[in-house]
Amino acid sequence: KDVEENLVVLMLMLPSANRQTKETLRMFQDSGGFQSFFPSDDDAKAHESLLAQVKNLDIFEKTAGFWGRQIKTSLGNTLRRLNPLVILDEGHKAYSELAKETLQTFNPALIVELSATPDKTQSNILVDIPGRTLNDEDMIKLDLHLINKVSWDWKDTLRSAFAKRKELEGKALENEARTGAYIRPICLIQAERTGKDQRDGRHIHAEDVRDYLTRVLGAPPDHVAVKTSEKDELKDLDDEGGLLSRNCQVRFIITKQALQEGWDCSFAYVLTILTNPSSRNALTQLVGRILRQPYARKTHVRDLDESYVYCFQQKAGELIDAVKKGFEVEGLGDLAGRVHEGDGSGGPGDTITAEIREKFRKAAARTFLPVFVVKDGKHWRPVGYETDLSPKIPWDEVNLSRVSELTPTMLQEKDVEHVATLSDDRHEVIRQKKARLLSEGALKVDPIFMGLQLSDIVPNPWLAQHFAEKTLALLSKTFSEDLLTNSFVGIIEHLRDVLGKEKDRLAEEVFRNMLAENHLRFLVISREANFTFQPKMQVSPPVLTRKNGTPLQLSLFDHVAADPFNDFEKAVAWLLEGHDKMFFWYRNRSKRDYAVQGWRSHKVYPDFIFTSANKVGAKDYEAVYVMETKGEHLMGSNDTDYKKRLFDICNEKAVSRSWDEMGLGSDEKSLRFEVLPSDEWDRRLRSLMESHGDPVKV
């Protein structure tokens, strides 16, 4: 009766019908709820007649029994009888042969695909709705503003995005008072790591972002939610009306990949990309998450009708191309992204036990590497930044003179805002409308707030506020009140930069003074406190091979995971594999293997440790090399300069003390620390190997 007199809509997930062996799927199993669509069990003629009309109905037995061939009263058979109109959402996901076969077996009267990115070779496109039409219908937020933060501190990017979201909320409240339309602007933040065991201090973890938002920027804890495969703090919101409800407090959503597929919320205005600058996928796959216009109706408040992307250290020339690709992927249709494919690397249990090669075991067992140590009573122990160095920094010697050198022009030149809009040429998709120097000031001038932004640099909050007040006092002599307000975010970033460099300068003086006074030494003190190679480890496939695909021969372990290597590091490993003076080489693992603690809080984990010998087939090595590799674009950076100065000290102390004095035994060998640049790595590495650790700089 319902089917005859009403429009019946059945919501069906394709996987529930998409299996080669369909007998195990519930929709193809005999059920008591569909008898009215089929003849009675004892009417064998009617069953045969229906089977003649609909040839692909499921039956109980292939051959006729006493009652003839009996048709299953299943949901699947019911749909086949009715010749339904199939409307397939995300049609581009159903191009596999099995998916197409499943749809055809429903005997559809018509299949209508809805897709943002249809394949023109497989789909007959009847209606194409371009992005310009969506924009004309007030469905998407354009223009799209791309703000490229060039600061080396990801917190500066997050702080700017925080300020922009706060500014948008102020405008949303004004708009609500005028029109009654409720909008709560949300900031989506993509971090580098989200796993509970992945918070290593080197990558930007979701909990690092949460801590900075709540503890430093002052966001209430219930304003922040994390959405990952392990932790979904948005799940409970569905019972309370979801993200669009007035009762919902969420204003920041932190994720890694969980929002790249099929998620959108019209209140999402600001996208903050904190992932590795070399990754283009983040911007491409997430851009569609902030495009929907609330209520599909323009507010006629320009800032509330546009969207914003804040990028950490992205290359400005690639931003527009990445967004253009993102628009193409989204199709500017329903704004749902494609499926995010896995990397096929296997689950956590898919590991290989790697062992030190037999020919290197004796030499590896005698290898210990020195660390900086301090005297603790009668004994020496590894130096700690928080316990031994940070408390000795003389903060009263901080020089703030560079703060007064700040000018409005310097602030403007720091960040660039790109604005993208739809192109009249549909093949171009979008075009860059303009690029301008960015001036931002959504936060009121407040020395207490400013002091809070320094808490990760200056440990004493009263001292941090003193620096903030002194900075504002200095700048107020040359900056007007309006200019201070409009440049407040940039002023905070500048002060953080000044204080960070002053902290490094003073900490380095402390470090060098401790060395000069023999309170700090470069020694091997014990097997437990120093690094030595473990005999076995677990590695995840795929494994690294030589350039020609043959197995490695000179790696310390018989299996080496390929994932930690970028292209530059692979080239270094291949050269080490082929050098005739190589004894063994080892890819040092961050946070787990050898590290050097300097005058900065984070330890330096070099990329490679390798050894060399005078002749092929030698039983032992003569020189040990500890190497950090740096891409050409990072040479000259603050971090690289720090590592070079720290390694210079390591080399100086390794030369000034004998092998025995360092605790490495009486068999004298050379030890060398190097930062290897990508633009001349081949020549320098070969020359270094030939020198056998000679202390003279290559």
Side-chain angles (χ1 to χ4, degrees):
K1 198 78 171 171
D2 285 336
V3 171
E4 293 174 353
E5 298 180 358
N6 300 290
L7 172 65
V8 178
V9 178
L10 173 66
M11 298 292 293
L12 179 68
M13 298 290 289
L14 187 58
S16 66
N18 189 17
R19 191 180 298 170
Q20 289 178 335
T21 305
K22 294 181 169 57
E23 287 75 11
T24 59
L25 297 176
R26 286 189 61 186
M27 73 174 300
F28 295 105
Q29 294 175 2
D30 190 62
S31 173
F34 304 100
Q35 292 98 327
S36 60
F37 292 95
F38 301 96
S40 61
D41 291 344
D42 57 357
D43 193 344
K45 279 191 175 181
H47 277 266
E48 288 297 332
S49 176
L50 183 55
L51 285 170
Q53 297 173 39
V54 186
K55 300 184 182 299
N56 63 341
L57 294 176
D58 292 330
I59 57 178
F60 284 100
E61 300 291 343
K62 297 290 184 184
T63 57
F66 178 78
W67 295 105
R69 292 187 299 169
Q70 291 286 306
I71 300 171
K72 291 182 180 179
T73 58
S74 67
L75 173 60
N77 275 346
T78 302
L79 295 176
R80 289 164 178 163
R81 277 211 63 185
L82 297 175
N83 303 114
L85 166 64
V86 175
I87 300 176
L88 181 65
D89 195 16
E90 303 281 7
H92 57 272
K93 297 179 182 178
Y95 287 142
S96 71
E97 290 303 318
L98 183 57
K100 288 190 286 188
E101 179 187 345
T102 298
L103 293 172
Q104 291 296 337
T105 58
F106 286 138
N107 304 329
L110 179 68
I111 299 177
V112 178
E113 290 183 32
L114 304 178
S115 173
T117 53
D119 184 340
K120 295 181 180 179
T121 65
Q122 301 202 52
S123 299
N124 178 26
I125 299 177
L126 301 176
V127 179
D128 184 9
I129 302 175
R132 179 161 296 282
T133 300
L134 296 179
N135 193 46
D136 291 343
E137 293 295 324
D138 293 352
M139 295 182 69
I140 53 179
K141 309 185 192 96
L142 284 178
D143 296 337
L144 178 69
H145 298 256
L146 297 157
I147 295 89
N148 190 34
K149 301 293 292 184
V150 299
S151 168
W152 287 97
D153 191 341
W154 61 268
K155 300 180 185 70
D156 292 336
T157 305
L158 185 57
R159 190 182 303 105
S160 294
F162 178 89
K164 185 63 183 180
R165 197 220 65 83
K166 186 173 182 179
E167 177 188 351
L168 291 173
E169 180 152 0
K171 294 181 182 295
L173 291 172
E174 293 174 2
N175 180 67
E176 184 181 6
R178 189 173 60 255
T179 65
Y182 173 69
I183 296 175
R184 186 183 68 262
I186 292 174
C187 175
L188 307 183
I189 305 166
Q190 188 183 47
E192 290 184 298
R193 297 285 188 271
T194 57
K196 61 182 180 180
D197 299 325
Q198 295 180 329
R199 197 173 183 182
D200 57 14
R202 286 172 59 116
H203 299 89
I204 305 167
H205 193 276
E207 295 304 321
D208 296 330
V209 177
R210 190 204 298 267
D211 285 351
Y212 194 74
L213 284 170
T214 56
R215 296 182 183 181
V216 179
L217 295 177
D222 60 350
H223 284 197
V224 183
V226 172
K227 165 75 172 174
T228 70
S229 57
E230 294 182 354
K231 180 184 295 186
D232 186 0
E233 296 175 355
L234 298 180
K235 184 170 57 177
D236 296 336
L237 296 177
D238 294 337
D239 298 333
E240 303 169 7
L243 281 171
L244 302 184
S245 169
R246 288 179 181 269
N247 297 324
C248 179
Q249 296 299 311
V250 172
R251 286 159 171 81
F252 302 91
I253 300 174
I254 308 168
T255 185
K256 180 184 176 184
Q257 296 174 340
L259 299 184
Q260 290 182 355
E261 175 191 341
W263 184 96
D264 48 37
C265 170
S266 60
F267 284 178
Y269 273 83
V270 182
L271 173 61
T272 308
I273 302 291
L274 300 179
T275 49
N276 191 302
S278 63
S279 172
R280 302 263 65 84
N281 288 338
L283 194 54
T284 297
Q285 297 183 7
L286 279 174
V287 67
R289 308 285 73 80
I290 60 170
L291 288 180
R292 280 185 59 193
Q293 179 71 34
Y295 311 113
R297 185 171 62 250
K298 296 289 187 183
T299 65
H300 303 294
V301 178
R302 193 192 69 178
D303 289 337
L304 295 178
D305 294 339
E306 300 184 345
S307 46
Y308 310 85
V309 180
Y310 284 77
C311 302
F312 173 48
Q313 292 184 5
Q314 302 284 347
K315 294 180 180 178
E318 299 177 3
L319 282 174
I320 291 294
D321 288 341
V323 173
K324 177 179 178 180
K325 184 178 179 182
F327 271 58
E328 291 169 344
V329 168
E330 296 298 333
L332 288 178
D334 59 7
L335 302 181
R338 287 182 172 178
V339 174
H340 178 72
E341 300 291 343
D343 60 8
S345 59
D350 301 330
T351 60
I352 300 171
T353 299
E355 300 185 27
I356 293 180
R357 299 179 190 272
E358 178 66 32
K359 59 184 176 180
F360 300 140
R361 286 180 186 172
K362 288 184 179 179
R366 296 195 304 270
T367 301
F368 297 87
L369 292 175
V371 295
F372 288 101
V373 296
V374 293
K375 196 69 175 289
D376 189 1
K378 295 182 179 180
H379 304 284
W380 294 86
R381 59 169 173 78
V383 66
Y385 176 81
E386 296 294 341
T387 56
D388 303 309
L389 299 175
S390 180
K392 293 183 173 65
I393 295 176
W395 288 103
D396 56 336
E397 296 180 20
V398 166
N399 184 356
L400 289 181
S401 61
R402 282 187 54 232
V403 169
S404 58
E405 299 171 1
L406 185 65
T407 66
T409 302
M410 291 169 62
L411 286 169
Q412 288 179 332
E413 289 176 349
K414 188 167 187 180
D415 303 319
V416 176
E417 176 184 25
H418 297 267
V419 182
T421 190
L422 289 174
S423 170
D424 292 328
D425 182 353
R426 290 181 55 186
H427 297 289
E428 186 184 17
V429 185
I430 65 167
R431 62 182 175 84
Q432 181 163 338
K433 185 176 181 181
K434 61 183 177 181
R436 66 181 180 89
L437 299 178
L438 181 65
S439 170
E440 51 188 352
L443 303 174
K444 68 177 182 177
V445 176
D446 180 358
I448 297 177
F449 178 84
M450 192 175 187
L452 284 173
Q453 312 314 303
L454 310 175
S455 61
D456 57 329
I457 300 175
V458 183
N460 186 320
W462 305 109
L463 192 57
Q465 186 174 334
H466 166 72
F467 289 141
E469 291 171 346
K470 189 172 180 180
T471 296
L472 293 174
L474 284 170
L475 294 179
S476 64
K477 296 176 181 178
T478 53
F479 280 49
S480 67
E481 186 176 342
D482 287 344
L483 192 53
L484 278 175
T485 300
N486 292 332
S487 306
F488 189 46
V489 173
I491 290 170
I492 293 174
E493 292 177 17
H494 182 69
L495 178 57
R496 285 176 56 83
D497 180 62
V498 170
L499 287 174
K501 289 176 178 176
E502 281 295 289
K503 182 179 183 178
D504 279 351
R505 178 182 68 83
L506 295 171
E508 183 175 1
E509 288 182 4
V510 169
F511 192 86
R512 292 183 181 275
N513 288 338
M514 291 176 68
L515 282 170
E517 296 167 4
N518 213 28
H519 297 317
L520 186 65
R521 293 184 180 181
F522 195 47
L523 299 174
V524 168
I525 53 176
S526 69
R527 175 180 290 271
E528 292 74 24
N530 290 84
F531 171 76
T532 188
F533 299 107
Q534 300 302 310
K536 296 181 181 181
M537 68 170 66
Q538 296 297 312
V539 299
S540 299
V543 297
L544 186 69
T545 64
R546 288 186 167 187
K547 197 171 185 178
N548 61 7
T550 60
L552 300 173
Q553 298 298 322
L554 300 179
S555 58
L556 178 61
F557 284 82
D558 53 5
H559 299 293
V560 179
D563 285 345
F565 291 79
N566 58 34
D567 290 342
F568 173 34
E569 291 164 348
K570 284 181 183 177
V572 172
W574 289 333
L575 187 146
L576 296 176
E577 272 285 311
H579 201 285
D580 58 4
K581 291 191 175 181
M582 176 59 53
F583 188 65
F584 69 72
W585 64 269
Y586 177 70
R587 176 64 162 86
N588 195 52
R589 298 173 300 172
S590 177
K591 295 297 177 184
R592 288 184 283 183
D593 291 338
Y594 180 58
V596 180
Q597 176 66 69
W599 55 88
R600 288 187 176 179
S601 58
H602 297 312
K603 295 179 180 178
V604 175
Y605 288 84
D607 294 316
F608 289 93
I609 299 169
F610 61 92
T611 59
S612 66
N614 265 332
K615 58 182 180 180
V616 177
K619 300 295 184 182
D620 201 0
Y621 59 84
E622 297 175 5
V624 182
Y625 305 87
V626 178
M627 183 192 303
E628 173 79 0
T629 58
K630 284 294 180 185
E632 186 177 357
H633 65 290
L634 295 176
M635 293 304 293
S637 70
N638 195 2
D639 179 66
T640 302
D641 289 343
Y642 164 67
K643 290 176 179 177
K644 289 176 70 175
R645 294 201 307 276
L646 180 60
F647 279 12
D648 284 345
I649 294 176
C650 293
N651 287 326
E652 176 189 334
K653 296 304 175 183
V655 171
S656 65
R657 293 179 180 274
S658 71
W659 198 255
D660 187 52
E661 284 179 303
M662 285 194 295
L664 300 175
S666 57
D667 186 13
E668 197 73 21
K669 303 179 187 297
S670 59
L671 173 63
R672 183 145 193 89
F673 292 76
E674 278 287 332
V675 176
L676 197 68
S678 64
D679 57 340
E680 53 181 50
W681 69 272
D682 191 308
R683 179 189 66 80
R684 287 194 61 176
L685 184 54
R686 292 178 189 277
S687 179
L688 191 66
M689 293 282 288
E690 294 299 325
S691 72
H692 274 305
D694 186 80
V696 177
K697 282 277 187 181
V698 179

